[in-house]
Amino acid sequence: MTARRNRIEGVGAAVLTVCSLLAVPATTAAAPPATSACSSPTQNQGFRHADPADVGIDPAALNDAIGFGTSKGAYAIQVYRHGCRVGDDTRIGNLPMPLASASKGVASVAVGRAISLGYFGLDDPLGKFFPQADPEHAALTVRQVLTQTTGLRFTWAADIAGIATDEVSQTLDNPFAFAPGTTFQYGQAVLVLLPKIVEIATGMDFQDFVQRELMAP
């Protein structure tokens, strides 16, 4: 599981996906409303390029945003809106890269896909998947893991210990710092439960499931 997590939650690249996050400064006239959208990409044809103004983005603001990203060392910036690629500064070309925390988004979409296919539910307790958990940890839900509201105490030392041993066991043994569902607290190791839940519920390797249900389509 550790090797899979390292591949899925990986090391480091910056990929920026922007929908409507480019705010126009108050002194600048607002961009015109979007007048077009692009069809979904196919396996043989990627996202269609569109002029930023055609999808309601101020081209000058977009250029400023991309320039800011590259000035900070980003080497793979791609901006999308309404299914269209409207900005791109990807100096590495189509080279596969580890995605670091961007893979958390992939994991969350994979969980959503598994839920939509009926494999499990958002409010299913962890005890359904991890019968070895004590009653308090077993009562935590998939939703609380996704929203980082498990209440489990987070420390880097515990996370590193989990990577070196068994992240699932480490997470299920972590003490609580807050009542579950009450407080957001970012943690790394707790998220390893999500791919494992997908594997247990679907009977498939997590990466095989992601390839079949997300990447290939």
Side-chain angles (χ1 to χ4, degrees):
M1 189 64 207
T2 296
R4 284 197 295 272
R5 187 213 182 209
N6 288 341
R7 292 196 298 269
I8 290 296
E9 296 203 352
V11 193
V15 178
L16 177 62
T17 303
V18 178
C19 295
S20 58
L21 301 181
L22 292 176
V24 180
T27 56
T28 304
T35 57
S36 66
C38 299
S39 56
S40 298
T42 65
Q43 197 164 12
N44 298 320
Q45 185 176 5
F47 286 90
R48 183 172 70 82
H49 178 76
D51 188 281
D54 289 342
V55 292
I57 290 181
D58 179 357
L62 176 61
N63 287 336
D64 287 347
I66 292 176
F68 176 81
T70 56
S71 73
K72 299 300 181 182
Y75 51 87
I77 300 177
Q78 296 178 349
V79 183
Y80 299 85
R81 194 174 195 203
H82 300 310
C84 308
R85 191 178 75 253
V86 296
D88 194 328
D89 187 340
T90 310
R91 284 165 257 171
I92 59 165
N94 196 31
L95 181 69
M97 301 179 302
L99 294 177
S101 287
S103 293
K104 292 180 174 66
V106 177
S108 67
V109 174
V111 169
R113 179 61 177 159
I115 289 172
S116 71
L117 292 173
Y119 286 107
F120 56 90
L122 265 178
D123 294 306
D124 282 356
L126 295 190
K128 177 178 179 179
F129 313 100
F130 308 108
Q132 72 273 31
D134 62 55
E136 198 171 13
H137 288 78
L140 294 172
T141 65
V142 174
R143 185 189 301 272
Q144 288 167 344
V145 176
L146 281 166
T147 58
Q148 297 267 30
T149 57
T150 60
L152 296 176
R153 179 172 59 85
F154 167 72
T155 66
W156 283 113
D159 268 19
I160 293 170
I163 292 172
T165 55
D166 181 339
E167 291 168 295
V168 171
S169 295
Q170 175 72 37
T171 300
L172 296 178
D173 287 339
N174 270 358
F176 288 85
F178 307 99
T182 64
T183 305
F184 171 86
Q185 180 171 248
Y186 177 82
Q188 294 271 30
V190 67
L191 297 177
V192 78
L193 297 177
L194 298 174
K196 192 63 176 176
I197 288 169
V198 171
E199 290 187 340
I200 292 169
T202 66
M204 295 181 63
D205 177 85
F206 180 69
Q207 291 195 95
D208 291 342
F209 178 82
V210 168
Q211 182 62 33
R212 187 188 77 182
E213 296 296 333
L214 303 182
M215 301 304 180

